[in-house]
């Protein structure tokens, strides 16, 4: 009697065959699928010249070195309180980071909101391999390649595109097997990174099950600082001076107190971010794509408010233009933020 594929097995088989086994379909206990991309383990020295020949932190979980990590191929949607990676759908948006995290973890052990360490690993891999993915950063198309378009969610009001509907240049490796839409479409929440009154806190390695209490996080001792004193304006605007990294916060961008509200900010090209004169930026910041390595990082930009508690956004949105990209980092918003330009993707580690 010949072997007969089930519908589930047929879908998984088709995805794996089309991508040479680089993608698969994972089903949860409700039978719902997510298309996932396998990122094999690599060392820091593989992506950063002169770095140690040890695994990138994304591949170390609770002290155990993993063979690789699974990343959602598509920006996620939430259905019945769970996160799913599906092609050709409107990406989920307008949730808080806590909702995104809960939907990711609801899928079971090993599932989690994509972490900053995982995002950084992919960004560094892209840079080292000579291809920076393009995407929907200009109302349905790429700002530099306007003929590269995706299928608009709403043609009458161009903004988001349906997941994975852009060309392969919208994938991280420039192939159909890649991770789509890391540049633009919607900003993505990432876990394992918090900015509190300018100080950077991160997870140890890729310990995505770390309790959400900063007492359990790694205090890096690194601050986002401003080169000149900030101001007390009661609206968003430039704090003046330059955005820098420092061993302390000497100049809050807003001097009216450490509030989560949105007042003065600063920004710079990611590759131009540097330490205060005489301060050596720790290598960990480079490993986590919080500070640049040497060379070109595109025109990706970093935005910061160094007062209050800020959560990280990666990638940029449909209107970010040349600022968007895999090294784009936004540290402007509070934990309570939810908006149409905010979304996420889940990840899985065995």
């Amino acid at each position: 009697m010949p072997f007969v594929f089930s519908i589930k097995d047929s879908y998984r088989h088709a995805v794996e065959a089309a991508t040479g086994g680089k993608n698969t379909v994972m089903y949860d206990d409700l039978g719902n699928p997510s298309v996932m991309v396998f990122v094999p383990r690599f060392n820091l020295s593989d992506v950063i010249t002169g770095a140690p020949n040890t695994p990138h932190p994304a591949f170390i979980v609770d002290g155990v070195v993993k063979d690789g990590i699974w990343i959602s191929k598509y920006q996620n949607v939430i259905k019945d309180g769970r996160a799913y990676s599906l092609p050709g759908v409107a990406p989920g948006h307008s949730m808080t980071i806590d909702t995104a995290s809960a939907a990711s973890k609801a899928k079971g052990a090993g599932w989690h909101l994509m972490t900053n360490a995982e995002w950084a690993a992919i960004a560094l891999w892209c840079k080292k391999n000579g291809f920076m993915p393009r995407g929907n950063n200009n109302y349905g198309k790429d700002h530099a390649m306007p003929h590269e378009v995706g299928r608009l969610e709403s043609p009458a009001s161009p903004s988001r595109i349906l997941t994975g509907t852009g060309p392969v240049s919208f994938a991280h490796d420039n192939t159909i097997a890649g991770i789509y839409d890391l540049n633009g479409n919607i900003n993505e929440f990432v876990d394992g990174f918090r900015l509190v009154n300018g100080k950077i806190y991160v997870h140890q390695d890729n310990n995505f099950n770390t309790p959400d209490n900063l007492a359990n996080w790694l205090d890096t001792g690194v601050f986002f600082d401003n080169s000149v004193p900030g101001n007390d304006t009661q609206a968003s605007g430039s704090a003046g001076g330059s955005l820098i990294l420092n061993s302390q916060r000497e100049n809050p961008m807003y001097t009216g107190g450490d509030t989560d509200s949105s007042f003065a900010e600063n920004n710079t090209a990611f590759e131009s971010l540097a330490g205060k004169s005489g301060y050596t930026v720790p290598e960990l910041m480079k490993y986590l794509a919080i500070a640049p390595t040497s060379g070109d990082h595109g025109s990706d930009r970093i935005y910061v408010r160094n007062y209050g508690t800020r959560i990280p956004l990666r990638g940029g949105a449909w209107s970010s233009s040349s600022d968007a990209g895999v090294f784009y980092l936004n540290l402007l918003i509070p934990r309570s933020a939810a908006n149409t330009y905010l979304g996420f993707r889940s990840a899985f580690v065995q």
Side-chain angles (χ1 to χ4, degrees):
M1 180 176 178
F3 178 78
V4 178
F5 280 114
S6 69
I7 293 175
K8 288 184 180 180
D9 286 339
S10 295
Y11 184 29
R12 180 185 291 128
H13 177 74
V15 168
E16 291 178 351
T19 61
K22 294 179 180 179
N23 297 180
T24 195
V25 180
M26 295 184 179
Y27 294 90
D28 63 14
D29 58 357
L30 298 180
N32 294 324
S34 283
V35 183
M36 307 295 291
V37 179
F38 188 67
V39 179
R41 183 183 72 226
F42 53 78
N43 288 339
L44 288 164
S45 56
D46 293 326
V47 291
I48 301 175
T49 301
N53 192 35
T54 55
H56 186 279
F59 303 103
I60 306 172
V61 180
D62 297 326
V64 178
V65 176
K66 302 294 182 176
D67 289 337
I69 51 182
W70 291 94
I71 304 296
S72 287
K73 186 176 182 73
Y74 308 109
Q75 293 172 330
N76 281 191
V77 296
I78 297 178
K79 179 178 174 57
D80 298 327
R82 297 190 182 192
Y84 295 102
S85 168
L86 302 170
V89 299
H93 58 81
S94 302
M95 78 290 286
T96 66
I97 189 173
D98 291 320
T99 298
S101 179
S104 301
K105 292 180 178 178
K107 293 171 67 67
W111 288 94
H112 57 280
L113 176 64
M114 186 178 181
T115 65
N116 183 70
E118 291 165 341
W119 185 285
I122 294 164
L124 290 167
W125 185 93
C126 291
K127 180 176 180 291
K128 182 66 174 182
N129 284 274
F131 178 73
M132 303 288 266
R134 297 187 287 275
N136 170 26
N137 48 49
N138 188 23
Y139 301 91
K141 56 187 179 293
D142 184 82
H143 76 97
M145 298 286 181
H147 62 283
E148 296 184 354
V149 301
R151 182 181 169 192
L152 286 166
E153 179 183 332
S154 175
S157 180
S159 57
R160 296 178 297 269
I161 61 172
L162 303 182
T163 56
T165 59
V168 293
S169 60
F170 286 19
H172 86 288
D173 62 355
N174 203 26
T175 78
I176 196 173
I179 303 164
Y180 273 75
D181 302 324
L182 294 171
N183 178 331
N185 209 29
I186 47 176
N187 288 281
E188 297 188 33
F189 296 120
V190 289
D191 201 3
F193 179 9
R194 295 284 188 276
L195 189 67
V196 181
N197 298 333
K199 183 185 279 191
I200 297 168
Y201 292 83
V202 297
H203 284 167
Q204 181 70 43
D205 298 323
N206 196 21
N207 296 354
F208 52 80
N209 285 319
T210 300
D212 202 358
N213 180 324
L214 290 183
N216 299 290
W217 291 42
L218 176 64
D219 178 344
T220 67
V222 181
F223 289 78
F224 278 104
D225 200 12
N226 214 45
S227 63
V228 300
N231 62 65
D232 294 332
T233 57
Q234 299 300 303
S236 295
S238 174
S242 301
L243 177 65
I244 56 175
L245 291 168
N246 199 355
S247 60
Q248 58 185 316
R249 185 187 65 173
E250 298 177 344
N251 294 314
M253 295 166 187
Y254 171 68
T255 57
D258 284 319
T259 173
D260 291 349
S261 296
S262 300
F263 299 127
E265 64 187 67
N266 210 340
N267 68 85
T268 190
F270 185 83
E271 66 186 47
S272 298
L273 179 67
K276 181 182 178 180
S277 178
Y279 175 65
T280 300
V281 176
E283 294 299 299
L284 178 62
M285 298 297 97
K286 301 174 184 179
Y287 305 162
L288 297 179
I290 298 172
T293 58
S294 61
D296 183 19
H297 295 70
S299 57
D300 302 7
R301 207 155 187 89
I302 180 171
Y303 293 81
V304 175
R305 289 189 173 104
N306 69 344
Y307 52 92
T309 297
R310 309 293 165 182
I311 57 172
L313 304 174
R314 288 290 194 175
W318 67 83
S319 60
S320 297
S321 189
S322 60
D323 291 358
V326 290
F327 287 99
Y328 172 96
L329 175 57
N330 182 314
L331 290 161
L332 298 179
I333 67 171
R335 184 170 181 159
S336 59
N339 205 296
T340 56
Y341 59 82
L342 303 177
F344 76 107
R345 72 181 76 214
S346 55
F348 176 78
V349 176
Q350 185 69 44

